[in-house]
Amino acid sequence: MIPAKLFALIQYPLPHHLLSRLVGCLAECRIGWLKNALIKAFIRQFKVDMNEAVESDPTVYPTFNAFFTRALKADARPLDEGLLSPADGTLSQWGEIDAGRLIQAKGHGFSMAELLGGDPLKASDYRNGSFATVYLSPKDYHRVHMPVAGTLTEMVYVPGRLFSVNDATTRHVPGLFARNERLVCHFETERGPMVMVLVGAMIVAAIETVWSGQVTPLSGRVERVRFDKPVHLAQGEEMGRFKLGSTVVMAFANQATFEASSVNGPIAVRMGQRLGDM
């Protein structure tokens, strides 16, 4: 097995975007025998429970991406109360934003302004707020939902690298989430401003939202979209999805109390699970 630090280092010279686009082409392949072979191999490797899916027959999906972003049955992820997990995955970091800085991993952090694409004015809203990071591994359900109800006010595409976002890389690549390509979604909620940042990663072919469809990949510059016509999403409603695994960083202008505050280490979570209170 490759040591974690070496695994992180060998990613620096790789053509991140080229590799991701090539994988994306394969994931959109409609050749029946090939896409079925890919899907079945994936199910075996990661022990995917197809009984949770609305469509349980893996051969019915037209592409690997359609399978990967499959919808679940309505009762598969019941919604709890309070602040909810936006996705299935691992709650890797959570807590207070300390003077505008967030924790990535032990010894590594990044600023809110960097995460938002170099916007110090927006970042100032979150200077002493709260954040939580959820990592979605390949085996997880890959739709992202609203942790609280909110109204979308702005969407910002931020170009960047596509480092892997697994534990090994987050521990050894400084400012990873503020370096990778990402989609920043600003919301107004009953408890103040909230931002949901969908972070791209190695072989993540694209990020989609329910209001704009596929958003990435875009050009090599920051692009901002304002929404004059409100896009309101209820708590637990889908807001986006990843075509292959990645990470969601959510931040709140006001303090949140996390039930996991006394836990030391990452926690497995499911979409709709209670994380705490605002």
Side-chain angles (χ1 to χ4, degrees), residues 8-9 11-12 104 108 163 168-176 179:
L9 289 174
Q11 293 181 54
Y12 278 87
Q104 174 179 298
H108 291 304
F163 286 98
T169 314
T170 56
R171 284 188 285 114
H172 293 287
V173 176
L176 174 62
R179 297 173 74 162

Side-chain angles (χ1 to χ4, degrees), residues 10-56:
I10 62 177
Q11 293 181 54
Y12 278 87
L14 293 178
H16 293 181
H17 288 270
L18 176 60
L19 289 173
S20 298
R21 303 315 168 225
L22 290 174
V23 172
C25 289
L26 182 62
E28 288 292 341
C29 173
R30 292 177 179 267
I31 300 173
W33 68 266
L34 178 56
K35 63 92 177 174
N36 286 340
L38 290 172
I39 292 172
K40 290 178 180 178
F42 189 91
I43 291 172
R44 287 195 302 271
Q45 176 67 28
F46 294 103
K47 298 178 175 57
V48 178
D49 183 5
M50 292 303 293
N51 291 321
E52 292 186 327
V54 171
E55 178 50 72
S56 60

